[in-house]
Each structure stands twice: as structure tokens, then as C-alpha cells.
Amino acid sequence: MRVRIRHAVAIAAAASTLTGGLVAASAGQAAAAGPAASRYADDFNGDGYHDLAVAVSDANVVVPETPQQPNAGWAAGYVTVTYGGKYGAQKAGLKAITQDSPGVPGKAALNNNFGEVIANGDLDHDGYADLVVRSRDYDGDAGAKDLNKVTVLWGGPKGLGAGTDIANNDPAVPYGNFGAVLVTGDFTGDGLTDLVVGHRTRLDLFKGPISRAGKPAAILPVRTGIDFQYDQFRAGRIVAGRINKDAAEDLVVLGDSTMLGQRPGKVLLGGAKGLTATSAQLRAGKTAVIADFDKDGYGDVAVGDPNAAWENQTDAGRVHIAYGGAKGLDPRRRVKVIDEDTPGVPGTPQHMDWFGSDVRAADLTGDGYPELIVGAGGERWPACDDHCRPRSGGGLYVFKSGKSGVTVTGSKFTAYNAPGLPRPKKTVRFGMQIKPVDLNGDKKPEVNLTWSGGTLWSVGVRNGVVGAAPTREVKPPADPKLEAWTAGFGLLTR
């Protein structure tokens, strides 16, 4: 019997800065001395361009099979990188990294889902960005316990290479989902990159630098005051960025739903002793971004809640924007709520629009203010049950910001079939996962989108219009060790 667990494709770049523009290293990182002094926390080869890591945790890898394990490589997973350069995203020739790659710990095996969660940053402070990869790691043996591994793939002049496992600091619980959520940032303000790891109901801060042996400088508990669950499909639960004006990055932990209803999220402020919970609360949701939309020096928090109902339309979705202040959030400012019923927003709320599937921020117009980018993975997707043919759909919204924060005035919607986008023969579905990042160094971010057709689109932007500039289509690795029909590059299942 085929055993298969499906997961999402993940795209990683560094956490958004308060400008909401290019994805860059923190001010502390930029000032700190380092051998290569990379400017960006997503520059894996140190060439001065942003790079984009893609994880395909559901991909099948060709491995030797045994009578006990006939489907040994199904959903083993891999990660890869499209390296930035003068012309933008690397379109072809990507290299797959699996647990069978030289120098990578473990071995590719059934349902390991290598790349189920990823994060990036210069963990060893050598000037090259590194990639943190979570896997389930069943060790390839039928009935083996789930060990849940977190592996760091180290960057260098040739890009990502060999890796090291970070030891589980709670090994007594083998099913504790070690690494179910991951995020990097300088949470102590010392100019070094730290790693926050979530498992079970706990978060821990692995203080940087983390050595090539996988040893952090220290492990500090992160206390939110609420026992949130950190498990499968909650990779977007924690988000890093600067909210107050000190040197340390801060952390947002999104709320969740329980049998007793929704629990609000929390804001934790960084400092020399680690992360400290504040009294600030956030609306529950599935994804978030921190950006200084009004440029008052404080980071604001946009939360996407794609499962929110509008009247009798379930999963219509909405976005909440809470404005930052010295103590986390500014209690004097009302939370702004945007949905498709908000005057000025194109469209109308409908069942399974999933408005807020993903939320990101980047300065797409060049006016110095970050735009809020909102995915709507079900928009213009015809109602369909499990027995009808797959159909195309999805899109994204762009909302401008200014001195008063995010506004719906002049908002723009880009559908999956908008002018300027490719016209593939396969089913197109995007808006579920978005990553704005400047891959060609022209200070004009591209909007990178995964979709269900097997490629990644790096979509050009002109005057704030997504798709008004050329799109580069990134092809998956052509690797004989990957089963092409299940490679799943660009496939979103969450």
C-alpha cells in the first residue's frame, strides 16, 4: 500500500525589513564584521544578489527499494535554490539537494519530507547565508519512530553545500515535531543571527552563532504565556521583524483555534536576554508580515485570515492590520480590517476565495512606502468538488500605503490570467504563497509565485502593477535522482 503524506512547497528568503522593500540582513548584521560580509540574509553564495530557496518536501527521490520498503523514496523531499543575478532568477540548471547529497546528514527515505519547513540566515557568521531545513526523518525503516530533524545547509562561494544537524533539545519526546516552525533573526541585538525553533507547545531561541558542529552559543526559552501547538501545517505561525526601535528583532506568534474558540496571537520583543512577551494581542490567522507601512519607525503587523467567513460565505477571508508602537502595538490606533467587501477593493467575498492566503510587504512603486501584497488563492476559481476537472484560479491584491498606513484607494488585483503573465497549458493556481524579492539587483522587487503547473514564476513589476514587466519562468531541477512525475516543483497543497 502506498503511504503518502502531502505537504506544501515552501519558498524562503529573509524576514521582511521594516521598509517592507528588499529582503535584507538586519542593521546589526550589516554592521558586524564578517569574512565575506554578505549584505543579505538570503545570499547563499555571497555574490551580492538575493537568492531564492525552494523546498519541495513532497517530491519523490529515487532510492534503492527493499521488499520491506518498496516505496522507499516517496515524499523524501528536496530543496533547491534559484540564484539571483544580473538578469534575475536563475531559470534553469537548478541543483536538487536531498538527504542523499554529499555532506548532508541522514538519508532520503519514505515520507521524510525534507524541506517541509525552511528558514534562512547567516547562522555561523561567515558572511554567507545558510538554509535551515526540517525533515521528519523516519530513517527509512518501516515502523521507525519519527525523529524530526533540523538540518543547516551551509552557504559558501559555490552556494549551499554540506550540512549539519542541530540537536533536538527535547529528545525525550520523539514525536515532538521538532522544527515544526522555524524563523531566523537577530533577536538579542548583538549583530548575530539566531534561530527560533518550535516543537510541541514550546519555542526555543538557539542563540547565534551556531557552529558548523550544530552547537548554538546558548539555548533560551521563549515564553509566550500561552501553550500554542506547533505542529504540521503551521509553518507560518511565527514571523520575525522589527516592531519597536531598538537593535533587536521581534517576534509575532499567531493565534490558533481550539474547541473553545480562537485564541489571539502574541507580540514578543527582542532584547539582550532574548524574547519577552508583551500584553499586545493579535487577531488569529494563518500568515503574517511585519513592515512599517506608515514609516513612523515602528513595525506594523498584517495578519491574513483566509478562513474567515463573510456572512454565509465560508473561507472568504480577510486581513487585519495592527499598527506598531514602543510596547509592541499602539493601543491608540484601531486595527484596520480589509476584505473583498471593503469599498475600493475589487471583487466580492465568496466561498473559498481565501483572501489572505498569504500576506507580504515590499515597495513595488518606489515611493519609499511598502505595499501590502495579499494572496487570494481561490479568487476566480470556479466552484468545484473533488470529482471535476482541475481548473485555474487565484490571484493577488496590491494595497498602497502612506503616512496614514495601508489604504485601499487605488488597490490593484492581478488574476492568474492577467495580461503579461505566461499562458501555460496546465492548470494554474497561485496566490497561496508569495515572495517579493529583488533578484536582479535593480532595487525593484519581483513577485515570485509558485503555482500548480510545475514551474515558479518570477513576475516583474512596473509602477506597482504585478505582471507589467516580464516574467521569468524557473524550471525544476533536471535530476535523474528525482522522479519527474512527482517532483511537484511549484505545487501547493496547503
Side-chain angles (χ1 to χ4, degrees):
M1 176 180 179
R2 175 174 173 165
V3 180
R4 187 69 177 272
I5 304 174
R6 298 195 64 85
H7 301 279
V9 170
I11 306 178
S16 297
T17 63
L18 288 187
T19 63
L22 304 184
V23 180
S26 68
Q29 287 174 303
S38 173
R39 294 178 296 164
Y40 306 124
D42 55 358
D43 182 4
F44 300 110
N45 58 4
D47 64 354
Y49 289 95
H50 293 282
D51 303 319
L52 192 67
V54 181
V56 192
S57 65
D58 205 33
N60 294 353
V61 178
V62 177
V63 301
E65 298 184 348
T66 67
Q68 294 76 26
Q69 196 66 272
N71 306 321
W74 279 347
Y78 74 89
V79 298
T80 187
V81 177
T82 171
Y83 290 95
K86 180 179 179 180
Y87 301 103
Q90 177 188 354
K91 295 197 298 183
L94 279 64
K95 305 297 183 183
I97 302 176
T98 74
Q99 289 177 298
D100 285 344
S101 296
V104 178
K107 59 181 179 180
L110 172 69
N111 286 332
N112 270 8
N113 299 115
F114 185 68
E116 184 179 46
V117 186
I118 55 177
N120 55 273
D122 184 5
L123 295 176
D124 60 349
H125 195 54
D126 68 348
Y128 297 95
D130 311 305
L131 186 68
V132 189
V133 183
R134 193 256 185 164
S135 62
R136 291 177 174 271
D137 200 39
Y138 285 87
D139 267 2
D141 298 321
K145 63 183 180 181
D146 187 350
L147 301 177
N148 299 297
K149 293 176 64 173
V150 173
T151 303
V152 181
L153 301 176
W154 304 106
K158 296 182 179 181
L160 292 181
T164 306
D165 287 340
I166 295 178
N168 186 340
N169 63 315
D170 192 14
V173 185
Y175 296 93
N177 282 303
F178 184 63
V181 292
L182 299 167
V183 72
T184 59
D186 179 10
F187 302 111
T188 59
D190 61 0
L192 302 172
T193 302
D194 310 309
L195 173 67
V196 172
V197 180
H199 43 130
R200 293 194 296 138
T201 58
R202 62 185 290 175
L203 293 174
D204 291 293
L205 191 158
F206 288 67
K207 191 176 184 304
I210 295 176
S211 73
R212 289 288 178 118
K215 302 292 185 182
I219 300 178
L220 307 176
V222 179
R223 297 184 174 91
T224 64
I226 301 176
D227 287 338
F228 293 118
Q229 293 287 332
Y230 306 104
D231 51 23
Q232 188 178 352
F233 304 134
R234 304 197 191 197
R237 167 64 55 80
I238 59 177
V239 179
R242 279 200 174 83
I243 296 179
N244 63 4
K245 297 181 179 181
D246 65 13
E249 291 186 69
D250 308 307
L251 190 73
V252 162
V253 182
L254 294 184
D256 59 7
S257 299
T258 69
M259 295 179 64
L260 300 177
Q262 288 193 330
R263 297 189 295 181
K266 300 287 289 184
V267 174
L268 292 83
L269 298 181
K273 295 182 179 180
L275 290 158
T276 303
T278 68
S279 60
Q281 294 186 332
L282 290 165
R283 308 288 180 90
K286 294 293 181 66
T287 183
V289 67
I290 300 172
D292 187 3
F293 292 112
D294 55 5
K295 298 201 71 176
D296 65 351
Y298 296 106
D300 311 310
V301 184
V303 177
D305 184 6
N307 300 123
W310 182 84
E311 294 187 351
N312 65 337
Q313 304 296 315
T314 58
D315 297 323
R318 65 189 171 202
V319 173
H320 306 110
I321 304 163
Y323 290 94
K327 296 183 179 180
L329 298 178
D330 188 345
R332 300 168 299 177
R333 300 183 66 175
R334 294 182 61 183
V335 174
K336 187 179 185 69
V337 181
I338 300 176
D339 60 24
E340 289 181 287
D341 189 51
T342 303
V345 177
T348 56
Q350 293 181 321
H351 171 59
M352 292 181 68
D353 273 350
W354 294 321
F355 180 85
S357 303
D358 199 4
V359 290
R360 300 285 179 170
D363 183 3
L364 302 181
T365 60
D367 65 354
Y369 288 91
E371 277 68 49
L372 173 64
I373 308 168
V374 178
E379 180 67 26
R380 300 191 184 181
W381 185 45
C384 178
D385 60 29
D386 291 337
H387 302 290
C388 66
R389 294 180 59 188
R391 303 183 186 185
S392 295
L396 57 87
Y397 291 82
V398 175
F399 299 99
K400 293 183 179 181
S401 65
K403 292 182 179 180
S404 298
V406 177
T407 177
V408 300
T409 302
S411 58
K412 296 180 175 62
F413 174 74
T414 300
Y416 70 94
N417 58 353
L421 294 181
R423 291 287 185 272
K425 296 180 180 179
K426 298 180 180 180
T427 301
V428 176
R429 180 80 176 280
F430 74 72
M432 298 295 287
Q433 197 165 98
I434 306 165
K435 176 60 66 175
V437 60
D438 175 20
L439 293 169
N440 62 7
D442 66 354
K443 298 183 180 180
K444 300 175 182 178
E446 298 81 48
V447 176
N448 299 278
L449 303 161
T450 55
W451 59 279
S452 56
T455 63
L456 181 149
W457 291 354
S458 186
V459 183
V461 181
R462 183 177 291 119
N463 298 324
V465 179
V466 178
T471 294
R472 292 176 70 85
E473 295 187 67
V474 179
K475 297 181 179 180
D479 191 325
K481 293 184 179 180
L482 302 178
E483 291 187 14
W485 69 278
T486 56
F489 190 83
L491 177 64
L492 287 169
T493 58
R494 74 172 181 181

